[in-house]
């Protein structure tokens, strides 16, 4: 029943776009709650302690890996310790567990060099040092295989075409200026092309076909080049299902080291590599788990609002910015709200998702379990992982489940540790003035912008796509995209503590607003299949 | 006898500062030579082939290492193949050879991580895996030892105070704009404070004292933190003399990995590391060698001009920009001039220096062998390496040797692979208009600026300090200082081919001008000890 008092002075620092209807809402009895949030989020902040635990102690949390299992246990225990209710995990079928115990890639000839490299996720162990010459055999589609047939036996196959060194003429670390923020709010109309989606989907089995081709040719391992310069690696791999993990050991090599190998192979005898990939599979449980915790609402019929972030990560770094930061801010908002003793009208649910990095699979499972079903298609029904991800958006019709309307609003954090600068309204125009009002009390902390446009690639997407009001925060970019995201320097020291404290406070405040609002947020209609945007066009995709 | 015809149009693109005396010089018979340089330097360029050989095939060239020995042999053979004369090497006492065969640093507990790290140059091998807990014991002066006495036994001692992650808000890759270039030519008066020099010198034995302290305390190894973020390491170490290399194995750990260790050690049980440092000493020859090659002059009494770059490097990368690039441009200018068949008045000598990274020791040896002696001091007489470097500038008097005046001008390249944008005139005002004239023919390639001010830190310095006209080129910075210099990504793929072709052409042209000039370049007086700039001041140094 708590509502927020909107001070006229705070409002003035925002935009003139507030509608009279919004501004007229009564908002008694909230000063104490907001002040309590600010006190907890600053003077008693635990967000960096949480992030350090996830980053340093637990470490990178590849879905179903032993570290992710530790994270599942620790986060539930922590939610319970803070007084959250209904703490539990919800499973969904995922695939194999995998972790790196030790790894080394060395060039032995023409001279010894310790290379920077990482086993590609879910590739098998070498079972001791594997020594073989390389061959540079760039391939990116099935049609490329013929060129290399009969030439790969006994080789470590370098499958990426080496490029040249980058010229980083923009600053890697950046905050959003007022001008940047104003540019964010320019709406672009969506496009829809199911043929392109289908074509993309059909290419997704390329990694499996390549693995099978290399195996059948007698290659002993393969190597790809990191897509970042500067000795950063990521080790991303997407063949994680039971029965579909790769047959051959694979390593991703730093761009500088990969290019050197390729030059040497071109100008002299092929270099010999020694790969020692001591990786471990864990098939004790093929299910992945989302972690759920709640602050119960006072009105059991009022439904719930939810905030979430994915807890899983890649393994080259510690998954600190992607998405230990978001997870820690979600947990900290939960702690703050629990500590302030709020009793909102609607339940506030917190979710830490699994399987995001392999196709937003954790929140997809939540949609399927709680919100709506989507039709199947021949292309996607049996697919796993990325196939499911790409196919999911193109499955019709959307059929709401009984819990569909209970979820009044979902807020996601997944853009690194930069402070929150506002919200993407995700093509839901009616929420724009409401979000502006909710952001007002902490406007001086920098979260002021509401942009109508959508964002993709993370856990609000499948909710938004079935018509649930799902939103993502605008964040200062820092160096997240430029060098941290998925890379070997996604570590705790690149998180920004003041930003994460701000984010926790703003999130807690937004959640309380959403949970206490007189009315649930305006909802879009249940989506139906859009018309093809440009049915006259030919493209490479089809 | 060749001289350059200065076209009025080319002159107009430069500066109005040309003196009438310079402009009146007659310059017949040079069109063919310049056009030949341009043709060789573009259509027949070998500069990148040379750089690739030095970078990829030979690899990093730590002075006296096996790779440096290969580079000494290959560069001499290459000079001879191109028709250079008097190709030979000149030795000077240096110290031990050292190279890395294999290395690995892992965190074993609280969880396994393969760390990014490199053995510190000239530290001993571990002779198999060395496993021990870490202790964070930041020390940077002898007075810090007491705090840690009795606490280091059996430990891997982390001696750097961990800082926080960087915020790189400037573009790493940069070219000089016209405005940048105009700012370069602002002269600052030099300062002189022998007390500060002496004090600095006295602190140089700190590394030895730390090593002895750690050894006496029973520590088993030590670890430092890389001074660059982003998983870049350098492995610099300066105890290379016979009898002075470290007693304990030492590794430099990437900042992200070091900080994680330090945080874990602060919040829980000290992590355990496994260091496997398979490094090799080679004491077959303690002398380092400068490589010399010449294009003979037509007038044996006219002396010589010289261009040089240091061939040695650190070992984390391949020594490509520092200073394979400079070495390749020096060699390419030699090849170009030999191929064009020029027969200049003065001999043109090319030098590839050793020991630059340990104190500019190769060109210092050249000064001592050919140009001038400097007085000794009690502080510096017995010192090696960096002690010699810091002490050398403060030894008086300078006494010219018989060959002193034969060296008419020396040009150095050591600022990465960026194109040449002009010359530093090194406090020699009379050369400013002369250099402007010499730069004119290739002004359209971007080398136009002459800045009176000096630069330091490389091989022209000790020549300039004894009164020989020694100069360094202005170069586009690219990403040399920001991330390449001494780091693990100092690799061939970060060299810029068009820039290095330009540099070779401009250098060849400048050398031909200098070798053919009617008069030798104006020389400064033989330096005598300066007066102390501010004899009234107290400082931390004394």
């Amino acid at each position: 029943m708590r509502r927020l008092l909107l001070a006229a002075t705070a409002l003035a620092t925002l935009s003139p776009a507030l509608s009279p209807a919004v501004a007229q809402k009564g908002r008694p009895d909230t000063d104490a709650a907001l002040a309590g949030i600010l006190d907890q989020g600053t003077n008693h902040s635990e967000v960096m302690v949480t992030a350090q635990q996830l980053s340093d102690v637990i470490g990178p949390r590849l879905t179903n890996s032993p570290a992710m299992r530790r994270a599942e246990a620790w986060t539930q225990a922590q939610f319970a310790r803070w007084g959250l209710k209904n703490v539990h995990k919800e499973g969904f079928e995922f695939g194999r567990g995998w972790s790196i115990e030790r790894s080394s890639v060395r060039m032995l000839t023409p001279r010894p060099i310790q290379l920077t490299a990482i086993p590609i996720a879910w590739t098998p162990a070498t079972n001791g040092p594997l020594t073989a010459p390389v061959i540079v055999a760039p391939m990116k589609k099935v049609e490329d295989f013929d060129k290399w047939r009969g030439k790969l036996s006994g080789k470590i196959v370098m499958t990426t075409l080496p490029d040249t060194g980058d010229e980083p003429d923009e600053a890697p670390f950046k905050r959003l200026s007022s001008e940047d923020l104003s540019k964010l709010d320019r709406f672009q109309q969506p496009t829809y092309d199911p043929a392109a989606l289908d074509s993309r989907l059909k290419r997704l089995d390329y990694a499996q076909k390549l693995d099978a081709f290399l195996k059948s040719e007698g290659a002993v391992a393969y190597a790809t080049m990191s897509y970042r310069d500067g000795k950063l690696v990521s080790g991303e791999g997407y063949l994680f299902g039971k029965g579909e993990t790769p047959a051959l050991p694979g390593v991703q090599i730093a761009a500088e080291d990969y290019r050197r190998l390729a030059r040497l192979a071109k100008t002299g005898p092929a270099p010999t590599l020694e790969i020692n990939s001591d990786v471990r599979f864990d098939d004790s449980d093929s299910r992945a788990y989302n972690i759920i915790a709640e602050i119960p609402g006072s009105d059991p019929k009022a439904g719930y609002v939810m905030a979430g972030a994915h807890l899983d990560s890649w393994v080259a770094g510690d998954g600190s910015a992607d998405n230990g930061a978001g997870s820690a801010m979600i947990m900290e908002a939960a702690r703050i709200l629990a500590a302030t003793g709020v009793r909102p009208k609607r339940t506030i649910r917190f979710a830490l998702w699994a399987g995001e990095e392999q196709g937003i699979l954790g929140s997809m499972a939540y949609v399927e379990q709680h919100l709506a079903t989507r039709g199947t298609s021949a292309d996607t029904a049996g697919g796993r992982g990325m196939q499911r991800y790409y196919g999911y958006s193109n499955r019709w019709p959307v059929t709401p489940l009984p819990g569909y309307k209970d979820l009044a609003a979902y807020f996601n954090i997944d853009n690194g540790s930069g402070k929150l600068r506002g919200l993407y309204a995700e093509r839901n125009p009616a929420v724009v003035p409401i979000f502006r009002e909710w952001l007002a009390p902490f406007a001086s902390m920098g979260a002021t912008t509401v942009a109508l446009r959508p964002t993709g690639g993370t856990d609000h997407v499948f909710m938004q796509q079935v018509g649930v009001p799902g939103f993502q925060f605008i964040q200062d970019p820092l160096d997240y995209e430029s060098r941290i995201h998925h890379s070997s320097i996604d570590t705790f020291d690149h998180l920004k503590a003041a930003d994460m404290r701000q984010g926790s406070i703003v999130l807690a405040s937004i959640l309380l607003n959403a949970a206490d609002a007189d009315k649930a947020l305006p909802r879009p209609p249940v989506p139906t299949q859009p018309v093809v945007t440009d049915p006259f066009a030919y493209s490479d995709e089809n």
Side-chain angles (χ1 to χ4, degrees), chain A:
Chain A
M1 298 290 191
R2 227 168 269 285
R3 291 183 204 91
L4 302 179
L5 182 66
L6 185 66
T9 49
L11 181 62
T13 67
L14 287 172
S15 114
L18 292 192
S19 75
V22 171
Q24 283 163 14
K25 280 186 188 171
R27 297 185 161 278
D29 189 28
T30 56
D31 285 3
L34 286 193
I37 287 171
L38 185 60
D39 177 56
Q40 277 294 331
T42 53
N43 298 320
H44 304 282
S45 176
E46 293 187 26
V47 66
M48 294 307 282
V49 174
T50 301
Q52 196 258 346
Q53 183 73 26
L54 293 174
S55 297
D56 291 345
V57 179
I58 292 172
R61 302 163 303 282
L62 193 69
T63 299
N64 282 17
S65 67
M68 184 60 168
R69 300 305 186 199
R70 290 196 297 275
E72 291 161 6
W74 182 80
T75 52
Q76 289 182 82
Q78 201 69 355
F79 275 129
R81 201 171 299 132
W82 288 329
L84 279 284
K85 305 301 179 193
N86 190 23
V87 178
H88 66 283
K89 61 182 182 179
E90 300 185 352
F92 62 96
E93 189 59 29
F94 177 79
R96 309 187 70 182
W98 183 89
S99 60
I100 301 173
E101 180 68 22
R102 169 197 292 261
S103 74
S104 163
V105 178
R106 297 172 66 218
M107 184 169 84
L108 300 182
T109 66
R111 59 185 174 90
I113 317 178
Q114 200 78 37
L115 305 184
T116 298
I118 187 169
I120 293 170
W122 287 289
T123 54
T126 55
N127 300 312
L130 180 162
T131 302
V134 301
I135 180 170
V136 183
M139 289 176 270
K140 56 183 182 180
K141 54 187 188 300
V142 172
E143 292 71 28
D144 297 333
F145 292 172
D146 278 345
K147 183 174 176 188
W148 301 105
R149 214 174 291 277
K151 298 175 181 167
L152 307 180
S153 180
K155 304 283 173 58
I156 295 167
V157 184
M158 296 169 59
T159 59
T160 312
L161 180 71
D163 61 0
T164 54
D166 65 347
E167 298 183 6
D169 54 7
E170 288 187 22
F173 188 95
K174 192 171 179 310
R175 290 187 180 277
L176 292 170
S177 66
S178 304
E179 192 185 346
D180 296 330
L181 286 167
S182 73
K183 284 181 189 164
L184 272 180
D185 193 13
R186 289 188 189 159
F187 187 77
Q188 287 199 315
Q189 296 185 31
T191 58
Y192 178 68
D193 181 357
L197 275 172
D198 280 353
S199 167
R200 202 167 178 181
L201 204 56
K202 285 189 184 110
R203 290 199 305 269
L204 278 173
D205 63 355
Y206 170 69
Q208 276 167 294
K209 287 180 173 161
L210 175 64
D211 182 61
F213 170 67
L214 297 177
K215 178 76 177 172
S216 71
E217 290 290 310
V220 295
Y222 71 104
T224 62
M225 184 175 86
S226 173
Y227 54 81
R228 289 192 192 279
D229 271 35
K231 288 260 183 177
L232 300 181
V233 295
S234 70
E236 289 147 271
Y238 293 90
L239 299 177
F240 53 86
K242 278 183 177 176
E244 70 171 19
T245 54
L248 288 184
V251 290
Q252 188 198 52
I253 299 180
E256 286 80 5
D257 288 330
Y258 187 98
R259 295 185 192 118
R260 186 203 294 110
L261 289 169
R263 287 191 302 272
L264 287 169
K266 190 157 193 170
T267 60
T272 302
L273 293 192
E274 177 200 79
I275 301 178
N276 196 342
S277 183
D278 179 1
V279 297
R280 314 276 168 96
F281 284 96
D282 179 352
D283 292 321
S284 57
D285 186 354
S286 65
R287 287 164 72 79
Y289 295 92
N290 298 322
I291 307 303
I292 304 290
E294 291 180 352
I295 291 180
S298 59
D299 179 354
K301 294 180 187 165
Y304 64 101
V305 299
M306 181 161 64
H310 69 87
L311 181 61
D312 69 298
S313 75
W314 292 109
V315 298
D318 293 336
S320 300
D322 187 16
N323 191 13
S327 299
M329 286 190 266
I330 296 295
M331 292 177 73
E332 176 71 355
R335 188 198 65 77
I336 288 171
L337 290 170
T340 52
V342 294
R343 178 79 170 154
K345 182 167 78 175
R346 296 180 187 81
T347 291
I348 303 176
R349 179 172 289 184
F350 301 91
L352 301 174
W353 311 115
E356 194 272 351
E357 298 294 2
Q358 291 76 38
I360 317 188
L361 300 177
S363 51
M364 182 196 290
Y366 188 89
V367 170
E368 292 175 335
Q369 291 164 357
H370 297 274
L371 301 176
T373 60
R374 300 196 71 137
T376 57
S377 78
D379 285 336
T380 61
R384 283 199 188 89
M386 294 309 282
Q387 281 95 329
R388 293 193 63 192
Y389 168 67
Y390 283 112
Y392 194 69
S393 307
N394 202 23
R395 286 162 54 179
W396 303 100
V398 170
T399 309
L401 293 171
Y404 184 71
K405 292 224 164 168
D406 292 343
L407 178 47
Y410 172 74
F411 299 93
N412 196 71
I413 301 190
D414 186 18
N415 282 319
S417 78
K419 73 164 71 158
L420 306 187
R421 304 302 303 274
L423 274 157
Y424 294 103
E426 301 285 337
R427 300 196 194 110
N428 190 337
V431 304
V432 173
I434 298 171
F435 282 171
R436 289 206 169 115
E437 183 184 358
W438 290 355
L439 289 169
F442 293 110
S444 62
M445 285 186 165
T448 54
T449 297
V450 181
L452 180 56
R453 71 181 210 184
T455 56
T458 183
D459 291 291
H460 67 300
V461 163
F462 293 135
M463 299 189 203
Q464 199 264 334
Q465 284 188 3
V466 297
V468 167
F471 306 98
Q472 162 101 328
F473 284 95
I474 300 165
Q475 291 181 256
D476 267 346
L478 310 185
D479 44 2
Y480 181 67
E481 290 287 348
S482 63
R483 62 175 190 160
I484 303 291
H485 182 249
H486 294 193
S487 89
S488 35
I489 58 168
D490 186 1
T491 49
F492 179 84
D493 46 348
H494 293 299
L495 303 181
K496 297 298 161 193
D499 291 56
M500 288 180 57
R501 288 193 287 267
Q502 183 262 16
S504 310
I505 291 164
V506 171
L507 174 63
S509 164
I510 290 285
L511 285 172
L512 190 57
N513 273 281
D516 267 348
D518 283 345
K519 297 182 187 172
L521 278 182
R523 298 175 82 99
V526 176
T528 55
Q529 184 163 16
V531 295
V532 173
T533 314
D534 185 0
F536 325 107
Y538 289 88
S539 83
D540 287 345
E541 303 280 359
N542 41 51

